Amino acid sequence: MSAGAPERRPSAAFEYMTTRKDEFVGWARKFSLFPYPFVTACCAMEFMSVSSTLYDTDRFGAALPRFTPRQSDLLMVVGTVTHKQAPILLKVYEQMCEPKWVIAFGVCASSGGFYQNYAALPGIDKIIPVDLYIPGCPPRPEMVIDGIMKLQDRIAGDRHPIINQKF
């Protein structure tokens, strides 16, 4: 600001709105998840059943999978990840929009599963941060829905710094 310019103050109505913006933005983000499925192994069948009409993740705001990381904010790593696939997974994660969340779907994505060999990565948390682990081999659709709901509660409770001091 210049030396003689008066300081701008927001109106009282805007101050009220900014005190409630975290709840509003959290609620909006909670019900607008765009998942990117990184599906590599047998958990794919359970992922498909979660997306079917019987379980219907659409009512939770996470139905329409995006097949480009630039349009998604939830990375669902489904199945075994090998050391050869790890750089690809990291590249997908880096291309995602902020804020972004990661779900490790199944025991193989969480800990490498029953594969105790040189090829399988012992958990995706070795290369990218994981927000939620869903256990099981394969996990039941009810567990996946419960995990999505837990992640949504976490998203709603987070701080959402999108408005700065000048706005």
Side-chain angles (χ1 to χ4, degrees), residues 9 13 17 22 30 62 71 78 88 92 94 96 101 133 138 147 150 159:
R9 294 193 168 275
M17 187 182 98
D22 278 341
K30 173 182 176 177
Q71 294 178 352
V78 181
I88 300 166
V92 166
E94 289 172 347
M96 290 175 61
W101 301 278
Y133 296 92
K150 287 185 188 320
R159 293 205 64 240

Side-chain angles (χ1 to χ4, degrees), residues 109-127:
S110 300
S111 66
F114 54 84
Y115 299 108
Q116 299 295 324
N117 61 21
Y118 65 92
L121 189 70
I124 63 167
D125 56 353
K126 305 290 184 208
I127 55 169

Side-chain angles (χ1 to χ4, degrees), residues 6-160:
E7 185 179 347
R8 291 177 47 183
R9 294 193 168 275
S11 68
F14 189 72
E15 286 180 23
Y16 176 73
M17 187 182 98
T18 58
T19 60
R20 308 289 292 174
K21 73 145 175 89
D22 278 341
E23 285 183 28
F24 176 73
V25 173
W27 174 84
R29 284 185 177 160
K30 173 182 176 177
F31 292 113
S32 64
L33 294 174
F34 293 106
Y36 178 86
F38 191 86
V39 182
T40 60
C42 49
C43 285
M45 304 311 149
E46 290 300 318
F47 177 75
M48 287 185 251
S49 68
V50 167
S51 301
S52 71
T53 56
L54 183 61
Y55 296 102
D56 193 22
T57 54
D58 191 23
R59 57 193 160 142
F60 301 105
L64 187 60
R66 302 296 181 170
F67 294 103
T68 174
R70 291 178 183 92
Q71 294 178 352
S72 61
D73 55 6
L74 172 62
L75 176 60
M76 296 183 78
V77 182
V78 181
T80 310
V81 177
T82 63
H83 286 285
K84 194 172 185 177
Q85 294 169 329
I88 300 166
L89 179 62
L90 181 61
K91 182 75 132 183
V92 166
Y93 178 77
E94 289 172 347
Q95 290 179 352
M96 290 175 61
C97 305
E98 288 288 340
K100 53 189 166 188
W101 301 278
V102 178
I103 291 180
F105 189 109
V107 71
C108 290
S110 300
S111 66
F114 54 84
Y115 299 108
Q116 299 295 324
N117 61 21
Y118 65 92
L121 189 70
I124 63 167
D125 56 353
K126 305 290 184 208
I127 55 169
I128 59 174
V130 177
D131 295 300
L132 183 76
Y133 296 92
I134 300 175
C137 182
R140 297 275 311 142
E142 294 87 3
M143 294 173 67
V144 177
I145 290 174
D146 185 52
I148 290 172
M149 290 170 52
K150 287 185 188 320
L151 182 65
Q152 286 177 327
D153 290 342
R154 180 177 169 196
I155 291 168
D158 282 348
R159 293 205 64 240
H160 305 283

